[in-house]
Amino acid sequence: MRIISFLLLLLIVTSCEKKSKYPIDKRYWTPEDYHSVLLNSLYKNSDEDKTPSYADPETRMVVQKLMDHQNYLIVLDDNELGLKYRSEVAQKFFDEWKDLEKLYNVTDRKDQYTYEKEYLDAVDFGLGLQIKYFKIGNDNIIKNSSNPNEQRISNILRENEQTIIDNFTYKLELINQESAFSKEGLDKLNSIYKEHFTSLHNTFPKARYSNLIDKMNLLKTKSNSEKIKSTFQELISLMEKKNGVIPNS
């Protein structure tokens, strides 16, 4: 009986130790929480440590917390907070997101994504975050400028807009790895493109989209997904119609 009680106590202690690695009980995770969790996941201390995944009942909640957009939205959408502070928090989340995507950007010997759902959710998280990050950054620059219409300030704002457009354009390269995704994965990727590229254009309507349009036109012919082809055409039409963009020859 004593042996059974000891084993039960050991099991409880071990379970508590595992849970203590992750701040599951916190409603929202800060960039510091992400750093701690991702550091532990990327650089495992032992063979017993495993990458959190949706398929694993023990770590499913960890992934759900990592992919929760509310973690950054609760701060970045709070207009009671200062732009400078929100910009700094956005930068921290952006830095942690790079490791989040790195953690799940893994393929197996058949060149299939090992953590397809997790990786796509990380892409989704990153695109949504970047729109907030760059918008708040530009708003902060305008607020702290004595003359927002000054050429130097206009150039900085345009450069920032071009950076996020370049980042989004780079994410279109996933079409070159279409065979690495399942049908469900491609449908999810299509939804990500439709939501965030539309939001990108609505947030930065005056930015230059010609290179992005050229890339979508190119990949539209390469993709085997009818949904993605249709979404690309919708996005191209949106950007050309509202901006009068003429694709580069």
Side-chain angles (χ1 to χ4, degrees):
M1 187 67 179
R2 290 181 179 178
I3 294 176
I4 294 176
S5 298
F6 175 75
L7 291 175
L8 181 60
L9 179 61
L10 182 63
L11 180 62
I12 293 173
V13 171
T14 303
S15 176
C16 289
E17 287 179 352
K18 286 184 178 180
K19 289 182 179 179
S20 67
K21 291 181 181 179
Y22 311 111
I24 294 298
D25 293 336
K26 291 184 66 174
R27 186 173 182 183
Y28 302 111
W29 281 7
T30 65
E32 291 73 25
D33 293 323
Y34 275 77
H35 185 74
S36 176
V37 172
L38 292 170
L39 190 66
N40 180 72
S41 299
L42 281 168
Y43 307 103
K44 301 177 178 62
N45 296 319
S46 69
D47 292 337
E48 293 182 0
D49 289 332
K50 48 191 174 183
T51 301
S53 71
Y54 288 123
D56 179 16
E58 290 185 15
T59 58
R60 182 185 301 122
M61 190 173 292
V62 177
V63 186
Q64 291 171 342
K65 294 292 288 185
L66 284 170
M67 305 302 177
D68 188 353
H69 294 245
Q70 286 301 316
N71 290 325
Y72 66 82
L73 289 175
I74 193 66
V75 177
L76 305 191
D77 281 350
D78 188 347
N79 293 323
E80 296 298 316
L81 298 173
L83 278 171
K84 181 175 182 294
Y85 173 75
R86 284 187 282 159
S87 181
E88 290 171 351
V89 172
Q91 175 67 62
K92 291 178 181 178
F93 268 112
F94 181 71
D95 291 340
E96 296 305 326
W97 164 71
K98 294 176 184 177
D99 279 344
L100 176 63
E101 190 177 70
K102 177 182 177 182
L103 177 63
Y104 294 109
N105 189 6
V106 180
T107 54
D108 59 23
R109 289 183 293 179
K110 294 183 178 180
D111 294 334
Q112 300 288 303
Y113 279 104
T114 306
Y115 305 100
E116 179 182 78
K117 191 173 187 302
E118 291 87 348
Y119 177 62
L120 287 170
D121 280 351
V123 171
D124 182 31
F125 185 97
L127 294 181
L129 169 63
Q130 286 186 68
I131 292 174
K132 296 288 183 181
Y133 170 37
F134 280 88
K135 178 64 166 64
I136 290 172
N138 274 4
D139 288 346
N140 188 46
I141 291 171
I142 292 172
K143 178 188 175 184
N144 289 287
S145 173
S146 57
N147 180 14
N149 295 320
E150 180 186 352
Q151 188 61 47
R152 180 180 63 86
I153 298 300
S154 297
N155 289 342
I156 293 173
L157 298 177
R158 279 199 298 269
E159 286 175 6
N160 288 342
E161 289 179 351
Q162 191 57 53
T163 296
I164 187 174
I165 291 172
D166 288 346
N167 290 349
F168 270 57
T169 302
Y170 177 73
K171 277 290 169 259
L172 292 175
E173 294 292 341
L174 289 175
I175 299 302
N176 290 321
Q177 289 91 46
E178 260 191 3
S179 60
F181 294 101
S182 65
K183 181 183 181 303
E184 292 74 20
L186 285 177
D187 287 346
K188 170 69 175 178
L189 182 60
N190 175 66
S191 297
I192 291 171
Y193 283 153
K194 180 176 291 189
E195 176 184 358
H196 294 302
F197 279 71
T198 300
S199 179
L200 173 71
H201 183 265
N202 292 339
T203 305
F204 304 104
K206 295 181 180 180
R208 180 175 175 79
Y209 289 92
S210 56
N211 289 336
L212 192 153
I213 290 173
D214 285 347
K215 177 66 74 171
M216 283 193 291
N217 269 318
L218 180 65
L219 293 175
K220 185 178 64 173
T221 62
K222 188 172 183 179
S223 176
N224 292 315
S225 168
E226 293 302 321
K227 289 184 178 180
I228 289 177
K229 289 180 179 181
S230 176
T231 291
F232 280 2
Q233 186 55 55
E234 289 175 11
L235 291 170
I236 290 168
S237 298
L238 170 69
M239 294 173 183
E240 289 181 338
K241 180 179 179 180
K242 289 192 175 182
N243 294 89
V245 173
I246 301 176
N248 296 332
S249 57

